[in-house]
Amino acid sequence: MSATSSSASGAPRAAVTATGHFVPERRLTNADLEELVDTNDEWIRKRTGIVERRILDDDQATSDMATEAAEEVLDARGIGADEIDVIIVATVTPDMQFPATACLVQDRIGASNAWGFDLSAACSGFLYGLTTGAQFIESGRFDTVLVIGADTMSAITDFTDRTTCVLFGDAAGAVLLERDDEMGLVDAVHHTDGSGSRFLCMEGGGSRNPPTHRTVDEKMHYIHQEGRPVFKFAVTRMADACVEIMDRNDLEPDDVRYLVPHQANLRIIEAAANRMGLDAEKVMINIDRFGNTTAATIPLCLYEWENDLQRGDGIVLTAFGGGFTWGASYLTWAYDS
Ligand code: COA
């Protein structure tokens, strides 16, 4: 049900050496949603912290956003795509069931020496992807790993369901992982509890319910979420994971420059920060502008706050999502912007 990891002392660390992002231009505001469903700006702000979210054009897909984010990473780092060894795309909204979105990104950016795969862990996707990518570097087997979180949530959102359509948005974020002797991913705690799967899922389109007229009529190709039980679980488990990572690494609040939380609900984020003893200015929050972009929230934050980070800064990343999946990671930042 749970697992932990930390690199052995003396082993190289996998450090974030560049970030990138993509957000669509089209904004969907709370006022826009008032036109679609029986909701209001005050309810959405108070219950979630969201003011607007971005929606991808109909003729675009997750790989388009992931490609933009990847190219921005390469530009920022000043390396060619042929230097990438591995591409991991965390997503629950791949362009297709197969091939993996990572393959499409590999082709689009021209990463001729890379292999890659998609990772499905919903809102914990980027956190899981970071740990997975780091293993390749810590083992010494690969040097350059691109970890992308990208989701087109609008493609699986029922815009007649007010309980879900106010929450989600579209975006991509990406980081490059490379070896560093001192800085990088120090520790990670990850958990899974599949008994929560029924509370947050997309029931149609897989092998259990292959797409048919019935699955479409019954709206099984959309996100199904029972908000209250998910909230209850998320609010405690995310905070628990943050405390767990702090305890394991003897971290005091002063040791944490920033908390980088998955952006699902402002109240869940605040509960985690409170349990960690962190002041509000130490928490990266952009849920007001982008909503819940699933695997993209954490790398999007890293991209936006990159200029505030310096080599040696300690940051805690945390996520909770469908599965249930959740966890927290402790990372030391490797570069000054
Ligand atoms: N606008 C107005 N009213 C709404 C609404 C909306 N968009 N959505 C639901 N409501 C209503 C409900 O119907 C309910 O009405 P009732 O009391 O007459 O039955 C009332 O608001 C309260 O609903 P509830 O579901 O209890 O609200 P909540 O405080 O739990 O907030 C969520 C709803 C979805 C914001 C919240 O449950 C949540 O954030 N859940 C977790 C999301 C999450 O973390 N997902 C996992 C990570 S991806």
Side-chain angles (χ1 to χ4, degrees), residues 37-40 43-44 47-48 123 162-163 166-168 200 225-228 230-231 234 262 264-265 267-268 292 294 320-322:
V37 289
D38 179 15
T39 190
N40 60 79
W43 190 97
I44 302 172
R47 301 284 180 132
T48 71
C123 295
R162 70 175 182 172
T163 68
V166 301
L167 303 174
F168 296 98
L200 181 51
Q225 176 172 267
E226 294 174 41
R228 243 174 264 189
V230 175
F231 183 90
H262 170 56
N265 187 310
R267 292 179 289 153
I268 297 173
N292 181 352
T294 303
F320 181 91

Side-chain angles (χ1 to χ4, degrees), residues 98-259:
F98 70 90
T101 309
C103 300
L104 307 177
V105 174
Q106 178 273 332
D107 179 50
R108 291 276 295 282
I109 66 174
S112 49
N113 297 311
W115 61 285
F117 55 92
D118 287 1
L119 190 155
S120 174
C123 295
S124 304
F126 182 80
L127 204 67
Y128 281 26
L130 200 63
T131 299
T132 306
Q135 306 291 316
F136 294 124
I137 289 169
E138 290 163 4
S139 70
R141 195 170 293 276
F142 296 99
D143 297 324
T144 315
V145 180
L146 195 53
V147 183
I148 305 171
D151 269 303
T152 311
M153 297 308 289
S154 62
I156 58 168
T157 298
D158 177 0
F159 284 96
T160 66
D161 173 10
R162 70 175 182 172
T163 68
T164 53
C165 75
V166 301
L167 303 174
F168 296 98
D170 304 334
V175 302
L176 194 68
L177 296 179
E178 293 177 274
R179 187 166 306 142
D180 190 295
D181 288 338
E182 296 169 348
M183 302 303 160
L185 185 65
V186 180
D187 195 12
V189 297
H190 294 301
H191 300 277
T192 295
D193 181 355
S195 70
S197 60
R198 69 184 184 280
F199 297 119
L200 181 51
C201 58
M202 192 179 103
E203 291 182 295
S207 57
R208 175 75 56 196
N209 296 294
T212 60
H213 288 290
R214 183 185 68 84
T215 63
V216 173
D217 289 346
E218 294 182 10
K219 298 189 170 189
M220 293 165 80
H221 56 299
Y222 290 134
I223 303 160
H224 166 81
Q225 176 172 267
E226 294 174 41
R228 243 174 264 189
V230 175
F231 183 90
K232 269 194 192 162
F233 219 87
V235 79
T236 50
R237 294 303 194 277
M238 190 191 261
D240 288 348
C242 291
V243 169
E244 192 180 350
I245 200 91
M246 285 182 81
D247 287 350
R248 283 164 54 100
N249 293 279
D250 294 324
L251 298 177
E252 297 296 328
D254 281 350
D255 300 320
V256 180
R257 176 74 188 87
Y258 275 110
L259 170 66

